[in-house]
Amino acid sequence: MTVQSVTVGENVHLAELFADPYPTYAKLREKEPVCFVPAANRYLVTRHADIVQLERDPETFSANEAQSLMKRVMGHTMLRKDGAVHKRERVACEAALRPNVIRGHWMPVFQSIVDDLIDRMIEKGETADLFDSFAAPCASRALAALLGLTNVPWQNLAIWSQAMMDGTGNYGNDAEIWRRSDEAAAGVDAALDEMIPYLQKNPDNSIISAMLHAADPLNREEIAANVKVIIGGGLNEPRDAIGTAVAALLENPDQRAQAEADPAQWRNVFEETVRWVSPIGMYPRQTTKRVELGGTVLEEGARIGVVLASGNRDEAVFENAEKFDINREKKPHVAFGGGPHFCLGTWAARVQVGEVALPTLFRRLKGLRQGEGPVTWAGWVFRGPTSVPVAWTN
Ligand code: HEM
């Protein structure tokens, strides 16, 4: 009998990554930190140092992936552009997302969304699934406001977001997935047809208004593509960060007590949450020339998966990385990426989740505790809890 040798990458299966990617990431970091994984059809980069090095060199590690399905679904968004063309579109959005605008204008908007959702939870009783009753609507309503898509029910935004993200991962060419992602994209286009003329005449602090009134304004096509990428990518991350933080604090009563006693700690809770379970677990890049990374030679055109979720659990940087610990030594995590595409919504997320949603939930839902049934988790490209049963006392 001949025993065939199986490479480290061939042993990686998407179903395992989806269920719990962390044991696989630990193996990859140890055995082959830049490893071709056939199931993902790309090299996964799993060590913190290699991720940081790659992000410092966007000319070699391009965001403009040739076979990107994101372009098929959304058009050519800033997330898949490099250099000056990327910068121009990014700068056009910035006015809406600066820390002073987030604190001065958007924080009270987030607070009223959060209070309204908690009022509804309290009215309905003393138990809920935090995912459906709070995290998902909170993230969706906040994003609709931030974008300036106030003509769209939050449920539509959530459905469109999921449909477009499914489209960007539709490597199996499933016709039904295309149908739904095309329908979602058409829904965004119709909503924009209504809002653009209004915001053109009535500028405000929203992202679409910023795009229209920037020093170098974006055209209709650029606005549509970038609104789609923000709906696809700016909704599930705050949602998942809320669910993850609540699950972690209910599991760690000492850390919860610390945050409740000292409001300054909520900032640490947020940063540790996105380090511990990074809402964007992996994003793609492609090499523009032959290059060596982490001991592996990558040919020009190699498809890369930058595994932020693994970098954030790298023991070379974070001691006891598997543990949720708001008191850990401050080290730079990579949950918001790095380099030119560093998350544009960082302050929106910090304030929405860390300064408004979490402190208000723990203050207003008296005796917040785990409800019946387990917290369930899913995903590796995006990861978060899919159910967080909670209970409180009215
Ligand atoms: C906890 C919440 C969030 C996390 C962890 C997160 C994470 C990230 C990451 C890792 C990237 C880089 C992706 C890449 O390079 O391929 C990114 C980019 C981006 N994020 Fe976020 N994000 C969050 C919330 C938001 C929100 C709320 C918004 C919008 C209001 C937003 C808007 C964007 C945009 C526009 C980009 C693209 C920036 C560019 O290409 O220059 N994000 N985000």
Side-chain angles (χ1 to χ4, degrees), residues 88-160:
R88 174 180 163 268
E89 294 181 23
R90 181 179 168 101
V91 166
C93 303
E94 277 172 359
L97 295 165
R98 291 202 178 100
N100 61 331
V101 180
I102 296 293
R103 284 242 163 72
H105 180 81
W106 293 113
M107 195 165 169
V109 176
F110 298 154
Q111 187 68 59
S112 74
I113 293 169
V114 163
D115 278 324
D116 177 58
L117 289 167
I118 296 177
D119 288 344
R120 288 164 195 247
M121 289 171 77
I122 291 173
E123 259 170 43
K124 279 196 183 146
E126 297 186 326
T127 60
D129 186 335
L130 196 88
F131 181 89
D132 302 318
S133 58
F134 185 81
C138 177
S140 198
R141 285 171 63 175
L143 191 68
L146 268 172
L147 277 168
L149 280 185
T150 44
N151 55 340
V152 174
W154 72 262
Q155 290 90 341
N156 287 21
L157 220 61
I159 292 166
W160 292 344

Side-chain angles (χ1 to χ4, degrees), residues 188-323:
V188 178
D189 287 329
L192 283 173
D193 285 340
E194 233 174 65
M195 287 314 294
I196 287 178
Y198 176 80
L199 291 169
Q200 189 83 60
K201 285 204 199 105
N202 304 281
D204 62 15
N205 282 312
S206 68
I207 299 173
I208 297 171
S209 179
M211 291 170 171
L212 287 166
H213 299 283
D216 186 0
L218 301 192
N219 65 35
R220 172 69 171 70
E221 198 184 325
E222 291 163 340
I223 293 176
N226 287 312
V227 166
K228 284 169 193 159
V229 80
I230 294 173
I231 293 174
L235 193 153
N236 55 325
E237 300 89 342
R239 178 196 70 194
D240 293 347
I242 292 170
T244 300
V246 171
L249 289 177
L250 295 183
E251 280 275 320
N252 293 279
D254 47 337
Q255 296 182 52
R256 170 206 185 147
Q258 230 186 311
E260 286 181 317
D262 173 9
Q265 291 290 345
W266 288 109
R267 173 77 194 264
N268 294 339
V269 170
F270 176 76
E271 299 300 331
E272 175 62 357
T273 296
V274 295
R275 180 206 68 82
W276 185 57
V277 179
S278 307
I280 295 191
M282 184 282 277
Y283 59 68
R285 291 290 185 266
Q286 190 162 30
T287 53
T288 56
K289 60 174 194 238
R290 192 170 198 263
V291 63
E292 198 210 298
L293 183 70
T296 299
V297 173
L298 302 164
E299 296 300 332
E300 178 184 338
R303 286 153 58 92
I304 312 284
V306 184
V307 190
L308 304 179
S310 175
N312 280 336
R313 294 269 186 118
D314 190 337
E315 293 281 348
V317 180
F318 304 102
E319 212 175 301
N320 291 324
E322 304 295 307
K323 230 180 134 248

